[in-house]
Amino acid sequence: MPRGRAAVRAVTDVSFDVRAGECLTLVGESGCGKSVLASALLGLLPANAETAGHAVLGGLDLLTAGERVLARQVRGRLAGLIPQSPAAHLTPVRTIRSQLEETVAQLTVVRGRAALRAAAEQVAARAAFPVGHLDRHPHELSGGLAQRAATALALAGDAPLLLADEPTTGLDRDLVDHTVDELRRHVDDGAGRALLMITHDLAAAERVADRVAVMYAGRVVELTTAEAFFGTPGPRHPYSRGLLDALPDRAFAPIPGLPPPLDALPSGCAFAPRCASADRTCAVAPSAASGIACHPPREVVRAA
């Protein structure tokens, strides 16, 4: 940070894989580092950001690849992005149709004016974007329509990996279901594609996910199957349980307190000040090697 301020450790010690034919959802409170992680994978971080480690996709290490490689081989081709703020990623002086047709032309073998027009309308339909709005400019769209336009642009190249950062923002429930179902079809068509979906919407996550990664204060604190997370006996990390208990159709109980600032993380467990199960062992940061970063995690009891 400028003027000698401490560095913000937005993402720390994160390790996971996303398998072909799988959807991994990344959930957690705002500011925990989810979007920073997606931006790091595509080389979209600010110039003063530093990254370390490896992120391998299609034989390329995304964290060490240069801008030329990322622009020509990765973005749109190996990895598509549905951005969190779609309006900021749309060209304001061009219609949605022209942007879709250009994207299809760049990322596929479709050629010819009529073919490009048909392909653009087809990918718009996949994202539930109305054909009648294709000739409008971004400023003429509602937030929900802009979100669907961004989804269509991300789907156009049928990339092996799709990064969807809050893809259901601004959509009503029917369109949320349509969107996540289309994203699910993206990975279920047998072409070996994968989806990493960042979301606050646990209902959408339950609808689409194979596995769930829970992020808190820049770390993944639990990584488990969707069946184990949403079913019985449920997640084992206290923060994960708190997220589910906050839902209106469950306990509707908020998690007490606030997450720590990322430039002043504690040396021990970052969730300990908000955790009713915290004890003296939490003064040391827990390892997430077992899939759960917690010293006294809830024990899973199975019937004999």
Side-chain angles (χ1 to χ4, degrees):
M1 296 293 288
R3 295 183 296 276
R5 292 173 58 192
V8 174
R9 299 186 178 277
V11 178
T12 306
D13 296 334
V14 167
S15 178
F16 60 82
D17 60 357
V18 187
R19 304 157 188 163
E22 176 188 51
C23 171
L24 174 67
T25 58
L26 187 60
V27 302
E29 291 169 286
S30 295
C32 70
K34 304 185 302 297
S35 295
V36 172
L37 175 60
S39 296
L41 295 177
L42 293 179
L44 300 176
L45 291 173
N48 65 331
E50 297 181 4
T51 58
H54 302 281
V56 180
L57 174 64
L60 290 172
D61 189 337
L62 303 182
L63 298 186
T64 60
E67 174 60 25
R68 184 182 180 89
V69 172
L70 290 170
R72 296 195 174 191
Q73 299 181 38
V74 177
R75 298 182 194 131
R77 292 173 170 83
L78 286 179
L81 173 67
I82 302 175
Q84 187 176 26
S85 302
H89 288 74
L90 297 171
T91 303
V93 297
R94 297 178 58 194
T95 66
I96 301 304
R97 183 188 300 278
S98 68
Q99 295 181 59
L100 265 177
E101 289 182 359
E102 179 186 48
T103 302
V104 171
Q106 288 291 323
L107 301 180
T108 73
V109 297
V110 176
R111 294 293 181 270
R113 185 173 180 178
L116 286 172
R117 184 181 181 90
E121 293 181 356
Q122 183 178 32
V123 75
R126 290 174 62 188
F129 187 92
V131 173
H133 288 65
L134 280 173
D135 293 311
R136 295 189 176 186
H137 291 81
H139 72 273
E140 298 177 289
L141 305 179
S142 66
L145 281 173
Q147 184 68 59
R148 283 180 268 169
T151 300
L153 287 166
L155 292 171
D158 282 327
L161 174 64
L162 188 61
L163 302 176
D165 191 357
E166 299 290 355
T168 59
T169 299
L171 305 182
D172 60 34
R173 179 48 56 183
D174 287 342
L175 284 173
V176 167
D177 291 346
H178 175 95
T179 298
V180 297
D181 288 348
E182 180 58 43
L183 296 179
R184 185 71 241 188
R185 281 191 290 272
H186 183 77
V187 300
D188 283 343
D189 68 355
R193 301 189 186 100
L195 170 66
L196 173 60
M197 187 172 89
I198 296 167
T199 185
H200 290 98
D201 189 338
L202 292 180
E206 184 175 12
R207 188 178 182 94
V208 75
D210 295 300
R211 287 187 298 152
V212 178
V214 182
M215 203 165 185
Y216 184 78
R219 295 175 182 266
V220 172
V221 296
E222 185 163 6
L223 179 59
T224 186
T225 65
E227 181 180 10
F229 186 86
F230 292 106
T232 302
R236 298 180 62 203
H237 194 283
Y239 176 64
S240 305
R241 296 200 302 274
L243 288 178
L244 285 180
D245 288 343
L247 294 176
D249 59 347
R250 301 211 181 198
F252 205 29
I255 302 173
L258 296 172
L262 295 179
D263 60 352
L265 293 173
S267 57
C269 175
F271 187 63
R274 307 174 70 185
C275 181
S277 302
D279 58 29
R280 60 187 180 184
T281 64
C282 301
V284 177
S287 168
S290 64
I292 175 169
C294 184
H295 292 298
R298 174 180 171 184
E299 292 301 322
V300 177
V301 178
R302 294 183 174 85

